[in-house]
Amino acid sequence: MDRRRFLLASSVIAAGIAVSSSGLANFAPSYVHRRSRNPLAGDTSPFTLGVASGSPSADGFILWTRLAPEPLNTNAATPGGIPLQDHRAGILLDYEIALDPDMRRILIHGTTRAEAAHAFSVHLDVTGLMPDRPYWYRFSLGAHSSPVGRAVTLPAPGRPAAKLRLGVTSCANYERGFFSAYRHLADEQPDIVLMLGDYIYEQVERNRPVLRRHSDDAVPTGLDAYRRRYAQYRLDADLQRLHATAPTLVTWDDHEVENDYAGDWSETFTTPNAFAERRQAAYRAFYEHMPLRQRPTAGGLRIHDSITFGDLARISLLDGRQYRSRGACYRAPDAGGGHLVDSITCPELLDPARSMLGPAQEKWLQGNLATSPARWNLVMQNVIMAGLGSDGGGKVVAWTDAWDGYPAARERLLRQLAEARNPVVFSGDIHSFWSNDLALQGGPVVASEFVTSSITSDGPPQDHLQGKLDSHAHLHYAESRHRGYSLVEIAGGALTTHFRAISDVTDRAATCSTLRTFLIEDGRRGAVAV
């Protein structure tokens, strides 16, 4: 304990401010939490949006909350119900980090700042902790305390690790159903949850009945409206429970900004300057509601990231939207988003300079895979990678919004995967479960791909998926009639993926069952159904 106390006292950095070492290792019952004064008017708790942890490392993590006593307040001068004019310097609040879920053995306590410029959100950077163990945390302001959340540190890179349990989610449309899948995933007690895009939806349904109406009953295009959309989702009890239960690594797809946008290019042909302003507002709101280490800049927000879980797994989380090239043969009036093209009438499709990830992220991923010390190398990203188009008679037919629309870039990535140990790709976006082989053109299988279904978003017609299965030998399973998530377990020399299905997204008390299970053995390329 003496060594631990020394490390904690000398190494912990929170929110860029050195944390005082006084009382850091005081486990005595005499510890009294002295609460900061609450400068906010009224008796409503400011912790309406819950807590979250993310970016875990071997010695720390990011802790998140956002002060919002009135989370859906529509006045831009009072985001979350807090007057900017009265709190331009931010608001000081307290935090505690403990060794037990009852918060009796407090390890670290201190003060951090909710930033006015970022809607009074907190991104507390905690370092100096011991590796490979859980910690529990909470925030407080005056008489109000947040829910208790659970965070974890990872086994140090290269150190022995026996098992890992992951949750994988995608595509949660608030209007289409309840988030009971998040509740069931929390019950699975995953070590880490990977969220692969469409955490929110910007769209508003006008043609069909909805279960819950989106905030403002309008599509967000500015910062305040995006903030309210995130706040509405964060108010959901099942989502709050999942974030409090497990750390998350989060990437985005398109609906965090606009359907089917690609890099700087809008689906609706919005002028470049206007779309850049909208995208920047959406990225800023994303940051304000996620446990992220990187901060937004004038050029965007870096979200691609990597963690290494001892010698067992390295996870590369990709950004498949921000840096991608414009969709092939992008043109008004009806080819701004995903559309079918062929390489005869659209030779741009095959241009090797086009990229899904952008040159810098491609290079980063190559290095990340090449230097991995882990037995399993997982690539987590937003859209289906396996080919669903056709390639014959000298003509390639492809849907532009998925990896099919960037065939040269996909081939480059598959060559990188071919050199990696036990590579497995996880994807989202298509609102259905898939198990696929990934192979170089005309070559052997280099990796497996598992696509997770949506939390609530409606799936495509099953007969369409069956047609793909019938015409492509590398596709082994496709099911669009069930919503849910994927549970991934690595242990005993194998990776096992369970497709978990929700009984009915319109029922708050929906049940959960295993739809199908697939296994990959260490050293083998390709999955088998169990």
Side-chain angles (χ1 to χ4, degrees):
M1 290 303 300
D2 286 344
R3 179 175 178 273
R4 180 189 298 186
R5 287 171 177 158
F6 173 78
L7 288 170
L8 288 167
S10 59
S11 303
V12 172
I13 302 296
I17 303 171
V19 177
S20 168
S21 63
S22 64
L24 287 181
N26 183 3
F27 301 104
S30 60
Y31 165 72
V32 176
H33 178 204
R34 294 177 174 83
R35 297 176 180 269
S36 294
R37 182 183 67 86
N38 181 3
L40 302 178
D43 296 327
T44 303
S45 172
F47 299 108
T48 56
L49 304 182
V51 297
S53 69
S55 294
S57 66
D59 77 334
F61 34 71
I62 299 293
L63 300 181
W64 173 92
T65 193
R66 180 189 162 200
L67 303 181
E70 300 172 18
L72 300 181
N73 187 294
T74 58
N75 187 344
T78 56
I82 301 177
L84 281 171
Q85 182 175 336
D86 299 340
H87 303 285
R88 293 195 180 279
I91 296 174
L92 294 178
L93 66 157
D94 302 318
Y95 66 90
E96 298 171 291
I97 300 173
L99 297 173
D100 66 301
D102 295 325
M103 303 296 292
R104 292 176 179 173
R105 293 189 292 159
I106 303 298
L107 192 65
I108 303 170
H109 61 94
T111 302
T112 188
R113 187 180 302 274
E115 294 183 275
H118 288 295
F120 299 98
S121 61
V122 174
H123 297 79
L124 182 66
D125 189 353
V126 181
T127 63
L129 301 177
M130 300 299 288
D132 195 17
R133 65 150 295 144
Y135 294 86
W136 288 264
Y137 64 94
R138 68 183 169 202
F139 298 92
S140 61
L141 184 64
H144 300 293
S145 292
S146 74
V148 173
R150 176 179 170 271
V152 301
T153 52
L154 308 179
R159 300 293 296 172
K163 59 184 179 179
L164 175 61
R165 190 176 180 88
L166 303 172
V168 183
T169 70
S170 179
C171 302
N173 189 327
Y174 187 87
E175 293 191 325
R176 304 312 305 164
F178 297 116
F179 294 163
S180 51
Y182 287 147
R183 180 178 72 255
H184 286 288
L185 178 53
D187 289 341
E188 309 260 20
Q189 291 290 304
D191 297 305
I192 302 167
V193 173
L194 287 301
M195 295 180 154
L196 301 187
D198 295 343
Y199 184 96
I200 64 162
Y201 275 69
E202 89 294 5
Q203 298 168 330
V204 173
E205 179 61 61
R206 297 299 185 198
N207 301 316
R208 298 175 295 172
V210 299
L211 199 65
R212 307 185 284 184
R213 178 62 63 185
H214 266 144
S215 58
D216 304 327
D217 197 23
V219 174
T221 58
L223 178 59
D224 296 317
Y226 277 114
R227 282 172 171 170
R228 284 191 295 276
R229 187 60 54 86
Y230 277 100
Q232 181 181 47
Y233 278 61
R234 281 286 195 170
L235 284 167
D236 185 271
D238 293 326
L239 179 54
Q240 286 197 19
R241 180 178 173 186
L242 179 60
H243 276 298
T245 298
T248 48
L249 293 178
V250 187
T251 190
W252 48 41
D253 194 26
D254 52 344
H255 289 291
E256 288 85 356
V257 181
E258 177 198 66
N259 181 61
D260 281 5
Y261 84 95
D264 299 329
W265 305 91
S266 164
E267 179 199 30
T268 56
F269 307 101
T270 305
T271 62
N273 287 344
F275 184 67
E277 185 175 338
R278 178 183 180 182
R279 194 184 81 160
Q280 189 69 2
Y283 286 2
R284 182 171 169 182
F286 183 90
Y287 167 79
E288 291 169 352
H289 293 84
M290 298 295 171
L292 300 179
R293 191 176 302 279
Q294 301 291 332
R295 298 169 66 88
T297 68
L301 173 62
R302 172 176 169 163
I303 61 167
H304 61 278
D305 201 359
S306 165
I307 64 169
T308 304
F309 195 89
D311 66 349
L312 188 60
R314 171 166 284 183
I315 299 173
S316 299
L317 182 74
L318 305 187
D319 176 354
R321 283 288 165 188
Q322 182 172 192
Y323 312 112
R324 70 160 71 180
S325 303
R326 188 186 71 177
C329 294
Y330 174 92
R331 65 186 182 277
D334 57 358
H339 56 283
L340 278 174
V341 297
D342 68 73
S343 57
I344 303 298
T345 61
C346 182
E348 174 186 347
L349 174 67
L350 304 182
D351 184 351
R354 298 178 65 250
S355 177
M356 175 73 86
L357 305 178
Q361 190 179 183
E362 283 191 21
K363 184 176 180 180
W364 167 85
L365 178 60
Q366 181 178 19
N368 212 39
L369 293 170
T371 60
S372 172
R375 298 198 298 277
W376 296 88
N377 287 279
L378 314 184
V379 175
M380 302 282 179
Q381 52 95 49
N382 56 330
V383 295
I384 190 166
M385 191 173 291
L388 303 182
S390 60
D391 183 359
K395 182 172 72 172
V396 176
V397 178
W399 180 256
T400 60
D401 193 54
W403 277 95
D404 269 355
Y406 300 81
R410 177 172 56 195
E411 197 75 1
R412 290 194 295 272
L413 191 152
L414 292 179
R415 285 199 294 271
Q416 295 173 14
L417 294 179
E419 300 299 320
R421 184 176 178 184
N422 290 328
V424 186
V425 174
F426 291 85
S427 313
D429 175 61
I430 200 168
H431 308 173
S432 42
F433 292 109
W434 298 69
S435 174
N436 308 318
D437 289 337
L438 299 175
L440 289 162
Q441 194 167 18
V445 173
V446 300
S448 293
E449 178 184 31
F450 297 112
V451 182
T452 194
S453 189
S454 56
I455 295 296
T456 59
S457 301
D458 298 334
Q462 180 62 27
D463 58 358
H464 174 72
L465 272 63
Q466 188 59 51
K468 297 297 182 184
L469 286 170
D470 293 342
S471 58
H472 294 289
H474 62 276
L475 309 177
H476 301 297
Y477 181 79
E479 172 56 65
S480 67
R481 292 165 291 192
H482 297 274
R483 317 279 63 80
Y485 58 90
S486 296
L487 183 69
V488 182
E489 298 175 299
I490 305 178
L495 180 148
T496 306
T497 297
H498 309 277
F499 290 153
R500 301 281 280 156
I502 298 301
S503 60
D504 182 0
V505 296
T506 67
D507 179 7
R508 285 190 182 275
T511 59
C512 186
S513 60
T514 298
L515 189 64
R516 191 63 65 92
T517 296
F518 294 89
L519 182 141
I520 305 174
E521 294 181 344
D522 188 350
R524 289 181 175 268
R525 307 275 167 145
V528 295
V530 177

